[in-house]
């Protein structure tokens, strides 16, 4: 049994017993001996009929751990589902080794998984290739199913999954590079010739513009969208939109600046969460909380509600509820929840301590708050 098989057995035990287990490397050897001595199980205790293995419930707050359960940040990576009320782990799905850079702090983890959790896309700068992994039948791990190799002289990377398509960038290798392009292929037909979707212009610093796929499945290129300035009673809001979706926002109020939280999922529609920005453009550690901003239907005004103003530091990540009636917010020490209605955000309630991992950030990256699969 290899390490990856060990992960899946560990996951199965976690699902049955509903409690925390020892770090993966410590249990693998014992599990190998146990399985060898006892032979295959004939029934799953308390989980239904004999021989039935229940698929994990992939719902709740999904976080991407690098260095799961005290393991190596490069080798032990996992998609972990947490109960949104208690933080208890409800399912653990192993990722391919080295799929996500453990040093990166702004990985768009929310864009790397398909909406039904069936696919996971990743790439490493060293390889210049894009990898697509598929969820195994038992839901215990993602296994590599396709490698997209670029033509000679090109590098492919930065993949996103949206609308049944795998999106990624194509860039010429070496000096004197031209502007990168965005290509796409169907998830179920990765062997097809990629379709060119757009060209990414470079900014003044030579860095390609930020891009993503909006909640309606449309390609969004930040620097090709006009900014709109919206006045309000609580200052001025500057936004970039894609269709009816606010994709980027800066709020200036009371002489302070608040900026959208880039690594978190785009809310969709006219609502966004902004966090405190410091003088150097990073997060202002001296200011607490965040603000929930909602643009009115005609785009002529907005309302801003302060959330999590309780001395727990700035909000670092967030995840809106699937039906957008609530919001989970991660501060430096805990995850919190606020209710959302037409009047804005309610009082924040502290739920559970922030899970830790061995990445540079020190905590797992938010993917999304997911409802149960049908």
């Amino acid at each position: 049994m290899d390490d990856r098989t060990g992960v899946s057995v560990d996951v199965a035990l976690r699902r049955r017993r509903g409690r925390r287990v020892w770090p993966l490397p410590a249990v693998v050897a014992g599990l190998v001996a146990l399985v060898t001595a006892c032979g295959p199980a004939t029934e799953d205790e308390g989980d239904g009929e004999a021989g039935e293995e229940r698929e994990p419930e992939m719902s709740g707050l999904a976080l991407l751990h690098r260095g799961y359960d005290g393991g190596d940040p490069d080798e032990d990576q996992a998609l972990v589902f947490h109960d949104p009320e208690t933080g208890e782990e409800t399912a653990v799905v192993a990722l391919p080794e080295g799929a996500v850079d453990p040093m990166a702090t702004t990985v768009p983890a929310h864009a790397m998984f398909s909406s039904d959790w069936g696919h996971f896309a990743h790439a490493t700068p060293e390889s210049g290739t894009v990898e697509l992994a598929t969820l195994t039948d038992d839901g215990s791990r993602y296994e590599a199913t396709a490698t997209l190799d670029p033509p000679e002289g090109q590098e492919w990377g930065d993949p996103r999954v949206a609308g049944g398509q795998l999106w990624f960038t194509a860039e010429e290798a070496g000096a004197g590079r031209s502007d990168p392009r965005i290509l796409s292929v169907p998830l179920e037909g990765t062997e097809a010739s990629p379709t060119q979707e757009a060209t990414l212009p470079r900014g003044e610093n030579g860095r390609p513009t930020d891009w993503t796929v909006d909640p309606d499945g449309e390609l969004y290129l930040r620097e090709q969208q006009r900014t709109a300035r919206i006045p309000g009673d609580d200052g001025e809001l500057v936004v970039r939109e894609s269709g009816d979706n606010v994709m980027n926002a800066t709020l200036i109020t009371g002489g302070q600046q608040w900026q959208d939280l880039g690594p978190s999922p785009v809310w969709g529609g006219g609502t966004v969460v902004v966090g405190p920005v410091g003088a150097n453009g990073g997060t202002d550690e001296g200011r607490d909380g965040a603000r929930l901003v909602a643009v009115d239907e005609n785009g002529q005004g907005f309302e801003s509600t302060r959330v999590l103003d309780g001395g727990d530091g700035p909000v670092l990540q967030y995840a809106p509820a699937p039906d957008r009636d609530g919001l989970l917010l991660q501060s430096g020490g805990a995850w919190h929840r606020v209710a959302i209605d037409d009047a804005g955000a309610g009082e924040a309630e502290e739920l559970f301590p922030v899970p830790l991992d061995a990445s540079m950030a020190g905590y797992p990256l938010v993917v999304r708050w997911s409802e149960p699969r049908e």
Side-chain angles (χ1 to χ4, degrees), residues 105-111 260-266 316-318 365-367:
T105 58
T106 58
V107 175
H110 58 276
D260 61 286
L261 303 178
S264 295
V266 172
L316 302 174
Q317 302 187 109
Y318 73 89
L365 301 171
V366 67
V367 181

Side-chain angles (χ1 to χ4, degrees), residues 110-128:
H110 58 276
M112 301 171 76
F113 297 86
S114 60
S115 59
D116 63 358
W117 300 113
H119 297 282
F120 166 67
H122 64 98
T124 56
E126 295 80 11
S127 68

Side-chain angles (χ1 to χ4, degrees), residues 9 12-13 16 31 34-45 49-53:
V9 173
L13 288 177
R16 285 186 197 143
L31 289 173
L34 178 63
V35 172
T36 303
C38 300
T42 57
E43 62 179 3
D44 197 318
E45 296 179 10
E49 299 179 359
E52 179 184 355
E53 178 65 26

Side-chain angles (χ1 to χ4, degrees), residues 114 116 118-119 132 134 145 164-166 185-192:
S114 60
D116 63 358
H119 297 282
L132 183 66
T134 301
T145 52
Q165 299 285 114
L166 173 61
V185 293
L187 281 175
E188 303 299 340
T190 54
E191 71 284 350

Side-chain angles (χ1 to χ4, degrees), residues 137-213:
D137 289 340
D138 64 358
S140 66
R141 62 191 183 279
Y142 286 95
E143 288 187 341
T145 52
T147 299
L148 282 69
D149 294 305
E152 185 175 355
Q154 285 189 24
E155 296 175 352
W156 289 354
D158 197 17
R160 317 288 172 89
V161 178
Q165 299 285 114
L166 173 61
W167 310 68
F168 53 93
T169 59
E171 192 167 359
E172 293 181 5
R177 298 174 295 177
S178 60
D179 290 342
R181 295 168 294 138
I182 297 178
L183 309 179
S184 74
V185 293
L187 281 175
E188 303 299 340
T190 54
E191 71 284 350
S193 296
T195 299
Q196 180 169 326
E197 303 287 352
T199 298
L200 289 177
R202 297 182 186 272
E204 294 181 0
N205 60 0
R207 182 180 180 273
T209 183
D210 292 334
W211 70 281
T212 190
V213 182

Side-chain angles (χ1 to χ4, degrees), residues 65 75 80 106 108 127 135 208-209 250 276 331 351 358 370 373:
H65 291 240
E75 296 178 358
V80 182
T106 58
S127 68
L135 187 67
T209 183
T250 301
S331 65
L351 298 177
S370 174
R373 293 187 298 171

Side-chain angles (χ1 to χ4, degrees), residues 258-315:
W258 303 74
Q259 180 71 46
D260 61 286
L261 303 178
S264 295
V266 172
W267 183 295
T271 306
V272 67
V273 175
V274 292
V277 179
N280 62 355
T283 300
D284 185 350
E285 300 293 339
R287 277 191 280 160
D288 294 331
R291 287 178 176 267
L292 176 68
V293 180
V295 180
D296 62 29
E297 293 183 358
N298 59 18
Q300 300 301 307
F302 69 92
E303 293 185 356
S304 168
T305 307
R306 189 75 176 263
V307 292
L308 199 60
D309 187 14
D312 200 38
V315 168

